[in-house]
Amino acid sequence: MVIPVHDVNPVRRTPWVTYALLAANVLVFLFMPGLAGSVAGDSSLAQLCHLQAFLDQYAVVPRELIHHQMPQVVPTGDIGMGPQGPGCVVGPPDYDKSPELSVLTAMFLHGSWLHLLGNMLFLWIFGNNIEDRMGHIRFLLFYAVCGYAASYGFALLNADSGEPLIGASGAIAGVLGAYLVLYPKARVWVLVPFLIFLPLRLPAWIVLGLWFVLQAVYSSGEGVSAAGTVAYAAHIVGFLAGMLIAWPLRPGTPPPPEPRGVLFGRRARTGW
């Protein structure tokens, strides 16, 4: 797996929406219940119960989204004593949840610092060029549509699942799909783990094509020991949605600058 760090593809205007999305995701994560425990690695039962109740209210649950089967009892965030010892209390929900709106709220929730930073890295590198091409408002709508497509696509494939789905990766996968369509020849600096991290500059179609292939492989359960903990299918659906939406914009998209002097991380020979 390669780690992108920068693309050689300048923009014409400030990507305010991309910046706002980055800030919103970080701020929401900082105020999520249980954050202190997740950072220190010693989450208390109270923190876990609060987080469970929070996710039940604001995360996407496929069964709720597809069948509108709302649970009769949900975690309340309190702690009680049961036959097995202390645990999270459940009871009738004291809120009205909209499964459709939960798709939007879930796009700003993340389960760990690694989850958040990985998503924000890809949005930071590739989001500005897509916003530059589409414009601020259209990019924001595009981002939301890809996020909804990813969540609904995953929910349709797992219609009976009661596990919460969170993260911006479905929407960001749409950004990657659009980038592949609009700027396949743009050069992307990546770090390749091979004993040490080797810096290389590769075409976007290699970087993003490899990312998509890995998502497809992982979605099938190959190459990972816990495929069920990551919604790889949502990544695939979001990526394809981004490609389809961006395809009509290809004819009017100016090509990225052609890099000179450096090729694949090394200075190219001249004079031949």
Side-chain angles (χ1 to χ4, degrees):
M1 178 64 180
V2 298
I3 304 172
V5 293
H6 176 65
D7 68 328
V8 186
N9 195 1
V11 296
R12 300 164 297 172
R13 48 188 155 190
T14 304
W16 294 116
V17 173
T18 299
Y19 292 161
L21 290 171
L22 289 165
N25 277 278
V26 172
L27 286 174
V28 169
F29 182 74
L30 290 176
F31 285 97
M32 282 182 63
L35 173 62
S38 68
V39 174
D42 58 350
S43 297
S44 67
L45 179 59
Q47 290 172 327
L48 292 175
C49 291
H50 280 116
L51 180 59
Q52 191 176 5
F54 180 83
L55 293 180
D56 186 82
Q57 183 173 358
Y58 294 106
V60 176
V61 178
R63 184 168 54 208
E64 298 173 358
L65 190 61
I66 301 302
H67 301 303
H68 274 254
Q69 294 178 353
M70 309 305 293
Q72 298 300 312
V73 292
V74 297
T76 65
D78 298 323
I79 300 175
M81 183 64 67
Q84 304 291 331
C88 299
V89 175
V90 297
D94 59 356
Y95 54 83
D96 292 324
K97 179 179 181 180
S98 168
E100 294 77 18
L101 184 59
S102 70
V103 176
L104 181 62
T105 57
M107 289 165 57
F108 293 90
L109 306 179
H110 292 83
S112 66
W113 277 108
L114 183 62
H115 187 200
L116 172 71
L117 295 178
N119 278 343
M120 296 304 100
L121 175 64
F122 278 84
L123 179 59
W124 171 265
I125 295 172
F126 300 106
N128 58 346
N129 291 106
I130 305 305
E131 180 179 351
D132 186 56
R133 179 65 183 91
M134 294 184 173
H136 304 307
I137 302 301
R138 286 200 297 174
F139 174 71
L140 182 60
L141 294 174
F142 164 82
Y143 184 90
V145 168
C146 290
Y148 267 82
S151 292
Y152 269 93
F154 179 83
L156 286 170
L157 295 173
N158 301 271
D160 296 323
S161 173
E163 294 296 321
L165 175 66
I166 59 174
S169 51
I172 296 171
V175 173
L176 303 186
Y179 198 100
L180 178 61
V181 167
L182 298 177
Y183 305 106
K185 296 182 180 180
R187 293 303 196 270
V188 180
W189 280 102
V190 300
L191 297 177
V192 180
F194 184 74
L195 299 181
I196 60 173
F197 284 99
L198 299 177
L200 298 177
R201 189 174 67 183
L202 303 174
W205 68 267
I206 293 180
V207 177
L208 299 179
L210 176 61
W211 181 89
F212 181 78
V213 169
L214 287 176
Q215 304 310 300
V217 171
Y218 293 159
S219 179
S220 69
E222 298 293 334
V224 288
S225 59
T229 62
V230 179
Y232 293 110
H235 301 173
I236 294 173
V237 175
F239 190 92
L240 295 176
M243 291 185 67
L244 290 174
I245 296 172
W247 196 268
L249 300 177
R250 290 187 68 200
T253 301
E258 185 66 28
R260 297 179 180 179
V262 177
L263 181 64
F264 295 106
R266 297 184 178 181
R267 190 160 299 278
R269 295 180 181 273
T270 58
W272 293 91

